[in-house]
Amino acid sequence: MDIRKISDALSVSPQITPGDMATVKAAGFRAIICNRPDGEGADQPSFDEIEAAARKHGLEARYVPVQSGMVKDDDAQAFGRTLTELPGPVLAYCRTGTRSATLWSLHEAAHKRPVSEILTATKFAGYDLSGVARRIANGGKTPTDTGDASFDVVIVGGGAGGIATAASLHARKSDLSIAIIDPSDVHYYQPGWTLVGGGVFTPEQTAKTMGSLIPRGVKWIKAAVAAFEPQNNAVILDGCRVVKYDRLVVSPGLKLDWGAVEGLEETLGRNGVTSNYRYDLAPYTWQLVEGLKAGRALFTQPPMPIKCAGAPQKAMYLSGDAWVRRGVLKDIDIQFMNAGGVLFGVKDYVPALMEYVRKYDATLNFFHNLVSVDGPAKTATFTVAKPDEQPEQVTVEFDMMHVCPPQVAPDFIRVSPLADAAGWVDVDQATLRHKSFDNIWSLGDVMNAPNAKTAAAARKQAPTLADNILADIEGRSPVAAYDGYGSCPLTVERGKIVLAEFGYGGVLKPSFPKFLIDGTRPSRAAWFLKEKLLPPVYWSAMLKGKEWMAKPEPLKVAAE
C-alpha cells in the first residue's frame, strides 16, 4: 500500500484491495472513502467488495465516486460533508490518489484555507496540484492558453494502440518529443484473459508494469485526462494540469459498463457470476468450470460494439471442452444468451462454430439482452426483443454465469468535442484522422470506424497512423490506409482455434496460406499461434515498434 498523509484527519492512497483492510486498520484509520467509480479499470475490485472487507475489520466505508479527471465543485462539497460525518482519521482512495487529494484541496479552498498551505500539504504527500491552484485563482476554470508541458505528439492511453503508436513514431523519427498520458501502473495483455479463464494461462502471464513498456525516449505522464480543448491544442489532466500538443493521438480504450446491468456489480466474483473481461475474475471462471458437475451455465453477450466480439463464445467453448474432458457435459445445460441476432458477424466462420455448438449441445438464444442479476437467488433476467415482436422479459436460473458487460466510450471521451453522437471518437475510417480536427488521430477501441475492436486491429492501425502523422509533420497529405483488419482467434476447444481474420464489410483477410492455416476451419496451428507466438509478438514486436506483418497499406486516392 502507498498511504500518503495530507492532514491529521485525512490520508489518501491509490486503489486499495479487500486484502489491505488489516493494514488500514492497523495504521489507525477508522473509515474509508472511495472516490473511484466502479468499473473504471480492468483490475479494480468493486466498492461492495471493499465495503464488505472494511466492515469485517470494524471500518466504515462510503462511496463518493468522481469521474476520472472531472472533479467538480459539487464533488468537493460532497467529499467535505462525508469527511466530517465519518470518524477520523479517514483514508480516501481513487486510482492514483490524485482525485482524492484534489477533492480535499478544493474543499479546503472553499473554506478559505490559504492556497499556499494546500499546495504545501499536497506536495509533501507527493502530489503536484499547482493546476488546482490555477483553477482556484481563475474562478473555477482551468486556463489552457499556456501549459505545464508541451510535446510534438501527445498520446492519450497507454494500452496496445497507444504504446504501439509511440514506438512506431519513435522508430520513424527519433527526435520527436512524444508523451503518453496514462494513470495505470500495469499494462495488460487482455487477449490472454480468455486462456486464463480456460485454465491455460496464469493471470501473471498477462501483466507487465507500464514503466517497463513505455518506449525509451517517450515521456510517461502518469495521470488521468479530464478534458480536451482542441481549439487550444490542450489536454487537461487530473489535478488541473495542462499539456499542450502539436498533434494528438487518442487511444484510451473503452469502458466496461458493469453498472448498466442491475445487480451485477454486487455479485461479480461470487454466487457463480464471473467474467473473463476482468483480470481478477478470469481465474474465478476457471474455478467455476472445474467445480461445476451439473446444472445450467449461462454465457451472455451484450449489444455491439464490444471489444473482442468472439470472447463471450470463446468462454463457452473452452468451458464446454473442459466438461467434455471430465465426462460431465451430459449433466450441464449450456445456454448462450446473445443480444444480437447471429452467432458471429462474418458468415464464413459460422459453419465451423456451429459444429462446436452442436458438440457441446449449447442452446443459442438470440435477441436476449441481460438487464439484471440476482446473485443470491442465482437468477438472470433478460429483455427479449425479437424482430417484429413485442419485447418481453424472461428470468432464467443458473448455476454458473459468464457475463460480457455492456461497453461504451470512456466518460471523458463521450462528453468531449471529439465524440460523435454515439460517444465514440469521430474519425475517417481509412486515415484514422479526426473528421473535424486535422491534428488529431485516434485508434483502438475508442474510435468509431466500423471494424472489430481487437488488439490485432490496433496492431495494424498503429503503423498506419504513424505514417500519416509523419506525413502531416512534413506537410504532406495522408499516405497510408487502414483496411479494417481485425482478428479473432476463436478458441473452440483446448488445442484448436478457428482463426477469424477479416476487414471492413466482413471481407476475409487471411495472414497465412490456406495450406498452413485455413481460418474457416479449426486448427492446431492456429492454437499454437495464439498460445505460443502471439504473446511474444505483442510484448516484443508490436509494443517495440517492430511491425511484423503489419506494414501500412498505401492510401489510394480516387481519381477526379
Side-chain angles (χ1 to χ4, degrees), residues 12-211:
V12 301
S13 168
Q15 176 70 56
I16 61 176
T17 69
D20 291 328
M21 291 306 144
T23 302
V24 173
K25 177 74 171 179
F29 293 101
R30 300 174 64 196
I32 293 169
I33 299 176
C34 171
N35 296 131
R36 191 179 187 191
D38 282 340
E40 191 178 73
D43 57 349
Q44 174 189 353
S46 69
F47 173 70
D48 284 337
E49 295 171 74
I50 295 292
E51 184 181 32
R55 196 180 301 118
K56 288 180 181 177
H57 287 83
L59 299 168
E60 288 194 44
R62 295 281 186 89
Y63 188 48
V64 187
V66 177
Q67 294 299 332
S68 180
M70 305 183 81
V71 179
K72 301 173 184 175
D73 291 341
D74 288 347
D75 296 324
Q77 293 171 14
F79 179 83
R81 285 195 300 272
T82 304
L83 194 59
T84 58
E85 292 167 0
L86 290 172
V90 174
L91 176 66
Y93 75 90
C94 54
R95 188 201 293 262
T96 65
T98 301
R99 243 172 298 179
S100 300
T102 301
L103 286 162
W104 176 84
S105 299
L106 293 175
H107 171 259
E108 292 297 306
H111 286 76
K112 307 305 180 185
R113 179 187 285 253
V115 173
S116 60
E117 291 184 14
I118 293 171
L119 291 180
T120 299
T122 53
K123 185 176 181 180
F124 187 77
Y127 296 99
D128 177 8
L129 297 187
S130 55
V132 174
R134 267 203 313 277
R135 169 173 163 176
I136 294 168
N138 283 271
K141 178 173 172 55
T142 300
T144 57
D145 50 339
T146 61
D148 297 281
S150 181
F151 299 89
D152 295 327
V153 180
V154 168
I155 299 171
V156 174
I163 292 182
T165 299
S168 288
L169 279 169
H170 192 263
R172 284 161 171 76
K173 189 172 172 57
S174 61
D175 62 344
L176 279 177
S177 62
I178 303 171
I180 292 176
I181 302 173
D182 195 294
S184 302
D185 289 305
V186 181
H187 178 107
Y188 295 103
Y189 176 58
Q190 295 185 30
W193 292 350
T194 289
L195 296 185
V196 174
V200 180
F201 283 178
T202 65
E204 293 75 20
Q205 288 175 270
T206 68
K208 291 192 178 184
T209 61
M210 185 72 78

Side-chain angles (χ1 to χ4, degrees), residues 317 342-358 490 498 520:
Y317 299 137
V342 295
L343 181 61
F344 194 72
V346 182
K347 60 181 178 54
D348 302 74
Y349 301 105
V350 172
L353 299 177
M354 284 302 301
E355 291 179 18
Y356 283 91
V357 170
R358 290 188 286 270
L490 292 147
V498 172
T520 64

Side-chain angles (χ1 to χ4, degrees), residues 511-519 523-526:
S511 298
F512 304 94
K514 206 167 188 177
F515 72 85
L516 186 61
I517 296 179
D518 179 356
S523 75
R524 297 193 181 280

Side-chain angles (χ1 to χ4, degrees), residues 259-298:
V261 178
E262 183 183 351
L264 178 57
E265 290 176 322
E266 293 85 345
T267 195
L268 277 171
R270 51 189 178 273
N271 300 316
V273 181
T274 188
S275 179
N276 290 344
Y277 277 78
R278 214 173 90 178
Y279 173 78
D280 63 323
L281 292 180
Y284 184 52
T285 301
W286 182 238
Q287 179 185 330
L288 291 173
V289 170
E290 285 193 301
L292 191 65
K293 298 179 176 61
R296 178 176 293 143
L298 304 183

